[in-house]
Amino acid sequence: ACVYDLDCLYVNIPEFMNLRKRSINDYTAQLQCQQLENRIMEARLVIMDEVASKQASSYDMELLYQLVNYRSTNQKSTIYTSNVTQGELRNLVGERIADRVTGTPKTVNIELFGKSQRGCFN
């Protein structure tokens, strides 16, 4: 989608959460965060990478919920990637987020098996 200029956005969720936390005391980070949040809300396709890479704080879960819920409610296409099972996802991010990520009628869950392919494209 990005290659064909289809208004696609890639977001690494742990990096986004760190930016959000820095924005509390850093004006530059605050501006970056506001711009990124607006792009997440408006892009036709968002790829949210590394969802549930660690146990989320209540602050992280509320922020993630707002983004996921907005995109779900407004029927915006979103691809979520994670290295956890659906059961682990529910434990790490809670029922509200997991339900919106995995439980909608148009959801397609794809499970990949095998060794990690990171770094194999060099």
Side-chain angles (χ1 to χ4, degrees):
C2 295
V3 171
Y4 295 103
D5 197 29
L6 296 179
D7 191 26
C8 177
L9 177 67
Y10 168 87
V11 180
N12 179 285
I13 294 300
E15 288 177 11
F16 173 71
M17 295 299 181
N18 287 335
L19 175 65
R20 188 62 145 78
K21 288 174 186 167
R22 279 195 329 268
S23 75
I24 294 169
N25 297 316
D26 181 339
Y27 182 71
T28 301
Q30 185 179 50
L31 293 176
Q32 291 173 329
C33 194
Q34 287 173 348
Q35 290 173 344
L36 184 53
E37 284 180 26
N38 289 339
R39 286 283 297 129
I40 291 170
M41 299 293 199
E42 298 307 319
R44 288 184 61 194
L45 171 64
V46 172
I47 301 166
M48 292 190 186
D49 190 25
E50 296 290 342
V51 174
S53 62
K54 63 178 183 170
Q55 181 68 46
S57 69
S58 57
Y59 175 84
D60 292 339
M61 287 198 314
E62 187 57 35
L63 176 59
L64 185 59
Y65 171 77
Q66 290 172 13
L67 299 173
V68 168
N69 186 60
Y70 179 88
R71 293 198 59 80
S72 176
T73 300
N74 290 283
Q75 299 181 347
K76 300 239 179 210
S77 296
T78 310
I79 297 172
Y80 303 96
T81 70
S82 184
N83 289 331
V84 300
T85 66
Q86 287 186 34
E88 292 169 324
L89 180 72
R90 290 187 187 293
N91 289 335
L92 290 168
V93 298
E95 195 67 35
R96 292 187 320 161
I97 296 170
D99 187 53
R100 283 159 180 81
V101 169
T102 64
T104 64
K106 293 183 180 181
T107 297
V108 176
N109 294 306
I110 300 171
E111 191 170 347
L112 304 176
F113 298 94
K115 295 187 305 184
S116 173
Q117 298 297 309
R118 284 189 172 94
C120 69
F121 300 105
N122 296 328

